[in-house]
Amino acid sequence: MADLLPPVELAFSVTGTPIVIIAHTEVSSPTQLSQAAPALSDPKWAFAYAQMVNHIVQGDDFELIIKPEEFQQRYMERYNAEDPNEEVGPGTIRLHNFGIPDFAAIHQPMKNGDELIFFVENMFMGIPYRVTMTEGSAPNYYPVAMVE
């Protein structure tokens, strides 16, 4: 198992498709990442692996939650600033429409065996998602359970 991660760049192809460039090799799917950078199987690279996977699959639509407590603070500030009695119209996105997520479930990227687990924020709706994937497969995105 390689200890070092080769140079990595998050980028977009000329057509706008999210890609990752690993040591001058373009990678356009999560399944190719561990082949291009075997070091990603090491748990110490969970953050980098999550960043790359999320970029390839979602581009700028979802952002990795790096500091769960800061995400919680931002979420609650936005939630508390909303008028809960406001009439909701078509296309209106409010956190009150979703509720309060189970913040205790959100943690930094980690590996559990060969499964990568991380959390992201949907940048349009503002709600968190839990992402899981087994090395070499496609990730699965699930909204974090709401407790309220």
Side-chain angles (χ1 to χ4, degrees):
M1 179 184 329
D3 289 321
L4 298 176
L5 197 60
V8 173
E9 179 185 351
L10 304 181
F12 291 89
S13 71
V14 293
T15 62
T17 303
I19 59 171
V20 174
I21 302 170
I22 300 175
H24 309 295
T25 301
E26 282 190 17
V27 176
S28 59
S29 80
T31 58
Q32 299 170 333
L33 285 171
S34 57
Q35 295 167 355
L40 290 173
S41 62
D42 189 323
K44 75 178 180 184
W45 297 112
F47 172 82
Y49 198 3
Q51 191 87 0
M52 289 182 236
V53 167
N54 188 62
H55 176 73
I56 287 174
V57 175
Q58 300 293 345
D60 294 333
D61 294 337
F62 284 71
E63 185 174 294
L64 191 63
I65 296 175
I66 300 167
K67 297 181 178 176
E69 54 286 333
E70 288 180 13
F71 170 76
Q72 179 178 355
Q73 181 179 349
R74 278 192 333 271
Y75 188 97
M76 291 310 299
E77 285 173 0
R78 185 174 159 202
Y79 183 90
N80 291 329
E82 294 176 351
D83 177 358
N85 299 316
E86 177 184 0
E87 210 171 301
V88 180
T92 302
I93 302 296
R94 297 175 343 120
L95 295 179
H96 276 80
N97 296 357
F98 304 106
I100 296 176
D102 180 4
F103 292 114
I106 300 173
H107 55 75
Q108 292 185 334
M110 64 177 271
K111 296 258 325 231
N112 184 11
D114 66 345
E115 182 179 46
L116 177 66
I117 304 164
F118 60 97
F119 292 82
V120 294
E121 176 183 357
N122 178 301
M123 299 309 291
F124 180 69
M125 294 184 290
I127 61 171
Y129 280 70
R130 181 177 195 265
V131 184
T132 60
M133 70 173 278
T134 305
E135 198 169 311
S137 67
N140 296 301
Y141 285 69
Y142 304 100
V144 170
M146 298 294 169
V147 293
E148 226 178 89

